[in-house]
Amino acid sequence: MADNSIMEKITALCKRRGFIFQSSEIYGGLNGFFDFGPLGAELKRNIRNAWWTDMVQRRDDVVGIESSIIMHPDVWKASGHVDGFSDPMVDCKVSKQRFRADQIFFAAVTVDGQVQGYVSILENESVESDLQKAAETLKRKKAIQGTLAPVAVRCFTEATPEEIPLIPSPATGEPGSLTPPRDFNLMFQTQVGALKDESSVAYLRPETAQGMFVDFKPVVDTGRVKLPFGIAQIGKSFRNEITPRNFIFRSREFEQMEMEYFIHPEADWKKHQREWIDWCKNWLISIGIGADWLSEYEHPKEKLSHYSRGTTDIMFKYPFGVQELWGIAARGDFDLSQHAKHSGKPLDYFDEATKQKFLPHVIEPAVGVDRILLACLVAAYAEETVTDEKGQSEMRTVLRFSPRIAPVKVGIFPLLKNKPELVALAREVETTLRAHMAVFYDESGAIGRRYRRQDEIGTPFGITVDFETLEGAKDGAYAGQTGTVTLRHRDSMKQERIPIADLLGYLMPKVL
Ligand code: GAP
């Protein structure tokens, strides 16, 4: 069941606390484009860094590259994007709204075997029941007598030319305004150089993957890599989506983290694919997205992309429905053979051990940073009733980010801002920790308020310099000892004392 209120709360929190803003907001915004504020930029960077560390630096079989965003236009002819990277688009002539045909569903309203009209709806979690209700409403409005048949749901892409004028527009609810679907290429075009003609047309890349295929040869020649091995990249991609939606889930400018894993053509690709699906799932768990949020979806053969011989998506339970987070595709040798053919340059791999020459096959885990970031926000978001220091109940909003990706790792607070000894020590702690991690110093307001402010942005640890720091701990393992601080844990809200000298050693392994 879609839960729009959670999305609204997360969107509002992102705006209020500086995670994500609408792009160019002072000019009214630009649909499908977003800006990341101070906390969002930090969170995104932490996600990217965690992936790069685990995918590239900590593996001896994957190397990283950064290819250009604008590539030779022939790359996109060879890859099939110029001819085939399109979505079927439908216009509503009355409302001037534009829809993806494969996101409009419709059904005939059949009473006693006679078609009495049509109903339609945009893709959602309950298409069939919504269409059934709409069919009942139509029957009632038209005062038709007889038995209504259960609706047979169809996609607008399957509508016959005779049916199209009879299907109501999802924008107006009235038939007669929808155009037949036509292909709309999702690549953004631009022009390279001063000439503005056909010869200067170029594209903003719609995926980072082609960089890895086009650079396959130089990487093999220079990278000291041996099959099986991967080439990875993180970078911006652009798609002129017809209906960008669900906040940053489907946008027009987004960031991908893709890895092409090259294997022997006779290797067991299903086994490799399975290993990568498991790797991706475990990695998501390692950055705080619990296994309960995840599921797998294997694409049916007839729905595979032009390059794929098998794709499994890792799905995430977003508030607006279970949706694709990470696709793991077996691309065969489609891309290398296309680029060899179109460029006229052989892209064979020479295997020293067997003296064989061949085009490797590929397993590709491809994911969007923005989609992971949204999944992290959704999985981390919680509201709970807690009791404050005066015994009063209050609601706290908390983002339970894994310390590894949390934008701020530690909040540092002097208990009182008008006690120079406390402030000086807190500033000292801040300087020590700031050299190693993102920290936030806050001396304004009651300590409980300061904790709540950090809870809301997902800061996992709070350090308070208090009177026991100066006078000696009252009890516990450090009783009588000065130079200890209160360490507060965000999720349990438990507090413990820890010597200032032990802070770095305690925090570092948790936040890296
Ligand atoms: N190289 C293969 C490829 O690009 P894809 O399924 O089209 O495959 C891979 O994209 C991933 O990129 C998706 O699983 C998703 O996480 C992300 N992605 C794709 N389109 C996106 C969009 N419009 N906005 C945000 N993320 C997107």
Side-chain angles (χ1 to χ4, degrees):
M1 189 69 181
D3 186 348
N4 294 332
S5 68
I6 290 288
M7 266 320 283
E8 278 165 23
K9 285 177 180 171
I10 290 176
T11 313
L13 188 152
C14 283
K15 193 172 172 184
R16 187 172 69 248
R17 297 306 307 268
F19 281 91
I20 303 168
F21 315 121
Q22 180 66 246
S23 158
S24 324
E25 201 168 4
I26 57 167
Y27 290 99
L30 189 59
N31 197 9
F33 296 89
F34 293 91
D35 291 348
F36 289 81
L39 292 175
E42 204 68 42
L43 177 60
K44 208 173 181 195
R45 186 170 293 270
N46 292 342
I47 293 171
R48 269 190 227 117
N49 287 351
W51 186 89
W52 190 263
T53 304
D54 294 342
M55 176 63 92
V56 181
Q57 295 175 337
R58 289 189 179 157
R59 295 187 66 105
D60 62 1
D61 59 346
V62 177
V63 293
I65 62 163
E66 275 189 41
S67 64
S68 61
I69 286 175
I70 296 177
M71 303 170 77
H72 194 291
D74 286 354
V75 168
W76 307 109
K77 289 186 187 136
S79 67
H81 284 82
V82 170
D83 289 336
F85 193 58
S86 50
D87 279 338
M89 179 177 70
V90 172
D91 283 317
C92 168
K93 288 179 279 187
V94 171
S95 69
K96 307 287 177 224
Q97 282 196 43
R98 206 152 246 198
F99 302 99
R100 255 174 67 175
D102 56 357
Q103 290 172 352
I104 303 177
F105 291 87
F106 75 101
V109 179
T110 310
V111 179
D112 290 343
Q114 294 281 318
V115 174
Q116 301 286 351
Y118 288 82
V119 285
S120 70
I121 190 115
L122 282 179
E123 185 182 31
N124 67 41
E125 289 285 284
S126 52
V127 165
E128 188 165 358
S129 61
D130 286 359
L131 284 178
Q132 188 66 43
K133 275 187 219 142
E136 281 156 17
T137 308
L138 188 105
K139 176 175 177 271
R140 223 177 17 254
K141 261 195 187 160
K142 288 192 173 178
I144 304 165
Q145 300 300 315
T147 309
L148 176 70
V151 292
V153 180
R154 287 159 68 203
C155 181
F156 195 82
T157 50
E158 299 157 359
T160 63
E162 297 73 37
E163 283 175 317
I164 287 174
L166 306 175
I167 298 171
S169 158
T172 63
E174 297 298 324
S177 64
L178 292 180
T179 62
R182 59 190 189 286
D183 279 341
F184 173 75
N185 195 296
L186 300 185
M187 282 196 295
F188 281 100
Q189 270 195 23
T190 185
Q191 233 98 22
V192 174
L195 275 181
K196 286 211 177 336
D197 62 14
E198 270 304 294
S199 69
S200 62
V201 168
Y203 305 94
L204 301 193
R205 69 179 173 202
E207 60 171 19
T208 59
Q210 294 308 318
M212 278 78 98
F213 297 120
V214 170
D215 286 347
F216 174 75
K217 198 84 188 136
V219 170
V220 169
D221 291 346
T222 59
R224 303 175 67 86
V225 285
K226 259 212 218 126
L227 230 54
F229 71 90
I231 310 180
Q233 151 155 246
I234 301 177
K236 289 266 183 165
S237 291
F238 303 82
R239 296 183 190 178
N240 199 0
E241 298 281 358
I242 299 169
T243 49
R245 58 185 181 156
N246 291 329
F247 198 27
I248 55 169
F249 176 80
R250 187 180 302 287
S251 48
R252 289 178 166 139
E253 174 177 337
F254 55 100
E255 202 163 351
Q256 288 186 307
M257 306 196 288
E258 299 196 280
M259 195 274 296
E260 309 303 323
Y261 198 68
F262 297 94
I263 57 174
H264 193 283
E266 278 148 32
D268 182 350
W269 65 265
K270 286 196 172 154
K271 182 171 151 275
H272 281 288
Q273 189 190 29
R274 183 70 250 166
E275 282 168 6
W276 279 111
I277 297 168
D278 293 341
W279 188 94
C280 297
K281 273 186 160 176
N282 288 331
W283 187 81
L284 290 170
I285 293 167
S286 83
I287 60 157
I289 300 178
D292 290 357
W293 292 93
L294 307 172
S295 54
E296 286 180 25
Y297 170 74
E298 193 178 331
H299 290 223
K301 287 263 166 308
E302 64 282 6
K303 291 210 169 151
L304 288 174
S305 315
H306 59 281
Y307 53 74
S308 175
R309 49 167 54 185
T311 298
T312 295
D313 290 339
I314 297 174
M315 312 292 281
F316 179 82
K317 226 186 294 164
Y318 290 98
F320 41 84
V322 174
Q323 297 277 346
E324 172 189 344
L325 171 58
W326 202 327
I328 297 94
R331 295 179 80 121
D333 65 0
F334 175 82
D335 303 271
L336 286 182
S337 65
Q338 283 294 103
H339 288 304
K341 196 162 94 196
H342 282 253
S343 67
K345 307 274 179 349
L347 295 178
D348 298 299
Y349 173 85
F350 179 69
D351 189 357
E352 289 286 352
T354 59
K355 306 288 176 216
Q356 279 179 314
K357 246 182 174 185
F358 51 82
L359 281 182
H361 286 203
V362 168
I363 306 293
E364 175 198 71
V367 70
V369 184
D370 314 73
R371 271 193 203 180
I372 293 185
L373 192 147
L374 184 55
C376 287
L377 281 165
V378 171
Y381 186 87
E383 290 171 1
E384 50 190 37
T385 309
V386 292
T387 311
D388 70 12
E389 55 275 19
K390 291 180 196 136
Q392 281 174 347
S393 298
E394 64 168 351
M395 223 270 294
R396 81 160 178 161
T397 300
V398 54
L399 285 173
R400 299 181 190 280
F401 286 138
S402 139
R404 205 174 171 205
I405 59 153
V408 177
K409 311 297 183 191
V410 188
I412 299 163
F413 322 108
L415 185 63
L416 297 174
K417 72 169 169 190
N418 55 4
K419 288 276 173 241
E421 312 91 290
L422 296 180
V423 169
L425 256 183
R427 285 290 188 194
E428 246 177 61
V429 172
E430 181 201 357
T431 308
T432 309
L433 296 184
R434 194 179 283 287
H436 303 272
M437 62 190 77
V439 301
F440 190 83
Y441 175 86
D442 187 3
E443 57 180 27
S444 61
I447 192 71
R449 291 273 123 232
R450 284 182 264 168
Y451 286 152
R452 294 287 174 276
R453 286 201 288 264
Q454 292 305 310
D455 290 344
E456 201 188 38
I457 62 166
T459 306
F461 304 104
I463 291 170
T464 306
V465 176
D466 46 30
F467 290 110
E468 290 184 60
T469 313
L470 304 174
E471 293 159 9
K474 279 196 191 125
D475 43 34
Y478 303 104
Q481 193 175 317
T482 57
T484 66
V485 288
T486 301
L487 176 69
R488 176 191 182 261
H489 299 268
R490 175 197 64 205
D491 296 344
S492 64
M493 294 191 292
K494 288 219 169 89
Q495 302 190 3
E496 59 180 317
R497 292 211 76 78
I498 180 169
I500 292 174
D502 293 354
L503 276 173
L504 254 189
Y506 176 86
L507 293 170
M508 283 303 276
K510 296 191 168 51
V511 302
L512 282 183

